[in-house]
Amino acid sequence: MSPNKAKDVQVFPIAADTRVLRSRTWERLKFEIEYALRKGTTANSYIIEGDKVALIDIPGESFTEIFLAALKERLAPQQIDYLILGHINPNRATTLKALLEIAPQIEIVCSNPAALSLRKILEETELKPNIRTVKGEETLDLGRGHSLEFLLTPNPRYPDHLCTYDPKTEVLYTDKLFGCHVCGDRVFDEGWTVDTEDRRYYFDSLLAPFARQLLVSLDKLTNKPARIYATGHGSLVRYSLIELTEDYRKWAQQQSDREFKVALIYASAYGNTATIAQALASGVTKAGVAVESINAEHATPEEIKNAAEQAAGFLMGSPTLGGHAPTQIQTALGIVLANADKTQLAGVFGSFGWSGEAVDMLESKFRNAGYKLGFEPIRVKFTPDDQTLKTCEETGTDFAQAIVKARRDRAKTRKSTSTTDVDRTAQALGRLVGSLCIVTTKQQELSGAMLASWVSQATFNPPGLTVAVAKERAIESLLHTGNNFVLNILQEGNHLGLMKHFLKPFAPGEARFEDVETEVAANGCPILKDALAYIECRITQRMECGDHWLLYGVAENGQLLQSEGVTAVHHRKSGTHY
C-alpha cells in the first residue's frame, strides 16, 4: 500500500474491443468491514466497443471526476450507447448523474430491482434515461460478435446484482463476485497466491451471509465458459479462475453445512443499517455459525417465516424513518413474532438520524413477547465508524457463542460417559505444553489482546515463531498478513495477575488494557511491563487450520525484561480445550 499516492485511473486492454478502467485508491475507501485490511481498492469499469458501445459499471462518487476525465480521454461519452449496471446504490448514483448530464442518450441496462432504485434516485432530477430491464437470461447485441448475455444473481445485500457474459471474448463481468479490496498495478492475477488471504477475507466479510443465494449464482455461472472474470474490485481473474471458483463453492458450502444458523433480518434506507448488519454477520460466522441474511425490502413472507422457524437465533435491524420503522420491517416483525420459538436468542440494531424509535420499538416488542436479548440494542447515529463496526463484529461473535453454548449444554446431558478412542486421543494431546503469553496488537485506533499458549519458535533464519488464533477471537480480525503484534512472555510466579485480567470475558468494544501497565513498542503495539520478555513480530504468513488460523511472525525486535525469571508454562489434561 502506498498511502501518499493520489487516486488515479489505470486503463488497460483485456480482450478484443474491450478495456478496463480501474479507478484506484491506496487509502481505505469506506468504513464497511470488507475494507478493514486497509490495502486500498479499485473500482473496475469496462468498455466494449462493437458497432455499439457499452460501458459496464461505474465507480462511486469519490472517483467521479477522475473517472469521467479518463473516460473522455479514450472515448467521447456521447458515443456510449449502453450503461450496464451490476448493481446501483446512492454512492454510484453520483457518478451516474454526472455521466447522464453529458451523455443523456445512454440507455441503462439493469435488473428490475435496480430499475426501481434508479427511478427513486433520479425522480428529483430532470434526467430521464431510457431503462432496459433484464428479467431473465436476455441478450444485447453490440455487433462485431459481442452478443452480451445477462444472468440475474441477486442476494440480500445486492438484490439487484447482475452478471454479464460476452461469448466472443469469454469474459464474465462479475461485479461483486470473485473480487478483493487490494490496490496495485497488477491488472490480472499473475502470482495469484498473494491474493489468497485477501480473497478469503472479502468472501467472509461480504458474501458468507448469502451462501445459499451464492450457490445458486455459481450454478448459473457454470453455464458460461469464461476465461476471465472481470471483477468489480481488485485484479481481474485469469490465472486462478478454476481454483477461485472451486474455493467459492467450497466456502459457500461450508457455510450452508454449519450446525447452527442465525437469521439476520433487516432493511436499510441509506446503507448504514446494512453496514451494521454486515459487521454483525462477520462476527457470527467467525464463531462457526451460519447466517441466513434476509433483506426485508425484497424478501417474501414465506422466506422470512422459514428463516425464523429454522434459525437458532435471530437479529433484526431497522432504520428510523419519520419516527417509525419501515413498513417492511413491521411486516417482518409480525412474521417473526408469530413463528420464532421463544427459546431463540434475539438481538436488535439500527441506525438513525435523530431519534431511533425503530430500534426502541423492536426491543420492546421482543421483550414483551418473552424473547431473551443476547445484547443491549445497538443504536448508531448516522454512519458507523471503525470502532463501532469492530464492536458490532465482537457482538456478533458473542451472540453466536451464546447460541452454541446453550445448544451444546443441552446435548451434554445426553452424552455417554464411557471412554472412547476420541477421549484417549484428547488426553494424549492435552499433554502438549506451551509457554503462557499475551499477544497484543494495535492497528490505528483499534487494539486487542489475548492469552495464548499455542506458541512455538518456527525458524532460525529469519528468527520466527507461530501462534494459533481461534477464528472466533476478537483479536483475529487485527492479525492479518502485514500486521504487527507483540508476544509478551509471562514469568512463572508472576503471571497470575495478567492471566486473570486477560482471561476475563470482555464486553464488545471494552478496553483490554485498562489497569495494565504498558508501553509502546517500536512497531506500535503494547508491551506489558510485567512480562518476562517480549518479541515484536510482523505477520508474513497466515494459514487456515480447522477452527484456528496459524500465524507465522518474523521476530524483528525483542528484549528480556526480567533477567532471573523462568517462563510460565500451561499444563492441560485434554486436547479438546485450552
Side-chain angles (χ1 to χ4, degrees):
M1 226 174 120
S2 304
N4 296 323
K5 293 185 70 171
K7 294 176 183 175
D8 64 7
V9 179
Q10 180 188 33
V11 183
F12 197 84
I14 63 167
D17 309 317
T18 309
R19 286 179 283 184
V20 61
L21 286 78
R22 303 176 74 228
S23 300
R24 304 189 294 181
T25 178
W26 280 261
E27 301 283 355
R28 179 174 181 174
L29 186 61
K30 298 178 184 177
F31 276 117
E32 277 95 334
I33 203 162
E34 69 195 78
Y35 296 91
L37 296 188
R38 304 177 185 273
K39 296 184 179 181
T41 193
T42 71
N44 301 335
S45 306
Y46 302 88
I47 298 173
I48 304 174
E49 296 181 78
D51 297 327
K52 300 280 190 177
V53 177
L55 171 64
I56 300 180
D57 286 326
I58 50 176
E61 62 181 329
S62 62
F63 295 114
T64 299
E65 290 187 15
I66 62 171
F67 170 74
L68 292 179
L71 181 65
K72 291 174 183 176
E73 288 179 6
R74 276 85 184 172
L75 182 73
Q78 293 75 19
Q79 294 178 259
I80 300 173
D81 297 285
Y82 304 104
L83 170 60
I84 301 169
L85 294 174
H87 76 281
I88 188 64
N89 55 33
N91 187 39
R92 281 186 167 189
T94 302
T95 306
L96 174 63
K97 292 174 183 177
L99 177 61
L100 290 176
E101 285 174 359
I102 59 175
Q105 83 290 342
I106 291 177
E107 180 178 358
I108 298 175
V109 182
C110 61
S111 65
N112 189 55
L116 296 174
S117 298
L118 278 173
R119 292 187 176 98
K120 291 181 181 178
I121 289 170
L122 300 176
E123 65 183 353
E124 295 183 4
T125 72
E126 296 181 0
L127 302 169
K128 305 299 178 186
N130 185 29
I131 300 175
R132 181 182 299 200
T133 303
V134 176
K135 297 182 179 179
E137 294 191 5
E138 301 162 27
T139 61
L140 176 64
D141 192 353
L142 301 180
R144 301 186 195 175
H146 300 285
S147 183
L148 305 183
E149 301 172 5
F150 300 109
L151 299 95
L152 296 171
T153 50
N155 60 59
R157 181 67 189 271
Y158 303 102
D160 55 349
H161 200 271
L162 179 73
C163 291
T164 303
Y165 178 66
D166 185 348
K168 177 177 179 178
T169 58
E170 296 184 317
V171 176
L172 180 62
Y173 300 88
T174 60
D175 193 26
K176 285 293 183 178
L177 305 181
F178 304 114
C180 63
H181 290 303
V182 176
C183 186
D185 294 325
R186 290 183 307 141
V187 174
F188 292 102
D189 60 334
E190 58 269 18
W192 58 270
T193 54
V194 302
D195 298 321
T196 301
E197 182 179 337
D198 298 296
R199 288 170 168 177
R200 178 61 186 273
Y201 181 82
Y202 179 91
F203 177 92
D204 286 344
S205 60
L206 182 64
L207 301 172
F210 321 131
R212 179 173 58 84
Q213 294 89 345
L214 181 58
L215 286 169
V216 174
S217 296
L218 291 174
D219 287 341
K220 290 182 180 181
L221 300 185
T222 57
N223 298 322
K224 307 301 177 184
R227 65 182 185 88
I228 294 174
Y229 287 157
T231 58
H233 302 288
S235 300
L236 283 66
V237 180
R238 170 190 280 171
Y239 302 102
S240 60
L241 190 146
I242 294 174
E243 291 85 354
L244 184 57
T245 304
E246 291 175 350
D247 282 343
Y248 259 54
R249 187 170 292 280
K250 178 182 70 175
W251 298 335
Q253 195 62 55
Q254 286 172 347
Q255 293 292 325
S256 296
D257 292 344
R258 286 181 169 177
E259 182 179 2
F260 305 116
K261 181 184 295 184
V262 167
L264 176 61
I265 305 166
Y266 68 94
S268 188
Y270 303 103
N272 295 328
T273 302
T275 298
I276 300 168
Q278 183 181 356
L280 285 166
S282 179
V284 171
T285 57
K286 277 178 59 173
V289 174
V291 173
E292 176 70 17
S293 186
I294 300 287
N295 186 331
E297 297 174 86
H298 299 277
T300 65
E302 191 65 21
E303 287 175 319
I304 298 172
K305 178 178 181 291
N306 290 339
E309 288 177 339
Q310 297 170 12
F314 59 88
L315 302 167
M316 183 169 281
S318 175
T320 298
L321 303 176
H324 303 281
T327 302
Q328 299 93 330
I329 284 295
Q330 296 184 41
T331 300
L333 173 63
I335 296 171
V336 171
L337 290 173
N339 294 281
D341 193 279
K342 295 297 187 294
T343 62
Q344 292 184 25
L345 199 62
V348 299
F349 62 96
S351 67
F352 60 94
W354 304 106
S355 49
E357 290 92 345
V359 177
D360 297 335
M361 182 273 291
L362 290 175
E363 177 190 10
S364 174
K365 291 290 187 181
F366 287 133
R367 288 193 188 278
N368 291 341
Y371 292 97
K372 179 181 177 182
L373 295 187
F375 53 86
E376 285 301 308
I378 296 173
R379 298 175 174 85
V380 178
K381 192 168 185 178
F382 298 114
T383 304
D385 60 19
D386 215 12
Q387 183 62 59
T388 300
L389 292 179
K390 186 70 175 72
T391 300
C392 290
E393 182 186 65
E394 293 177 15
T395 300
T397 299
D398 286 356
F399 185 83
Q401 288 174 332
I403 288 174
V404 172
K405 183 178 185 303
R407 294 299 179 98
R408 290 183 177 167
D409 283 349
R410 294 174 203 164
K412 282 181 182 178
T413 62
R414 302 188 295 270
K415 186 177 180 181
S416 170
T417 57
S418 62
T419 301
T420 66
D421 290 341
V422 174
D423 295 328
R424 288 189 285 269
T425 302
Q427 291 171 359
L429 273 172
R431 296 312 186 264
L432 292 172
V433 297
S435 303
L436 277 171
C437 305
I438 307 292
V439 176
T440 59
T441 188
K442 191 173 192 304
Q443 311 299 334
Q444 296 193 6
E445 69 277 12
L446 301 177
S447 60
M450 74 167 196
L451 182 69
S453 61
W454 293 8
V455 177
S456 178
Q457 182 169 348
T459 55
F460 290 126
N461 186 21
L465 54 88
T466 58
V467 182
V469 181
K471 290 180 177 178
E472 62 196 50
R473 291 285 192 133
I475 197 176
E476 178 273 334
S477 59
L478 302 177
L479 297 174
H480 286 269
T481 301
N483 293 151
N484 297 319
F485 69 90
V486 167
L487 187 72
N488 298 272
I489 304 167
L490 302 188
Q491 179 180 349
E492 180 65 37
N494 191 35
H495 64 288
L496 295 180
L498 287 174
M499 270 190 67
K500 183 178 179 181
H501 177 84
F502 288 103
L503 275 174
K504 72 179 183 181
F506 289 96
E510 183 179 352
R512 267 55 172 176
F513 299 101
E514 192 170 339
D515 300 324
V516 176
E517 286 193 79
T518 64
E519 60 184 54
V520 180
N523 66 6
C525 302
I527 296 171
L528 306 184
K529 288 186 175 182
D530 289 337
L532 171 65
Y534 72 88
I535 306 169
E536 298 179 39
C537 301
R538 175 175 50 85
I539 301 170
T540 61
Q541 293 184 54
R542 176 175 150 124
M543 182 172 67
E544 186 175 13
C545 301
D547 55 6
H548 282 65
W549 291 103
L550 187 65
L551 311 180
Y552 171 71
V554 174
E556 297 183 324
N557 192 20
Q559 185 176 337
L560 191 63
L561 300 179
Q562 312 293 335
S563 59
E564 301 298 324
V566 176
T567 302
V569 177
H570 182 43
H571 295 276
R572 300 179 299 157
K573 292 184 177 180
S574 173
T576 61
H577 52 77
Y578 294 118

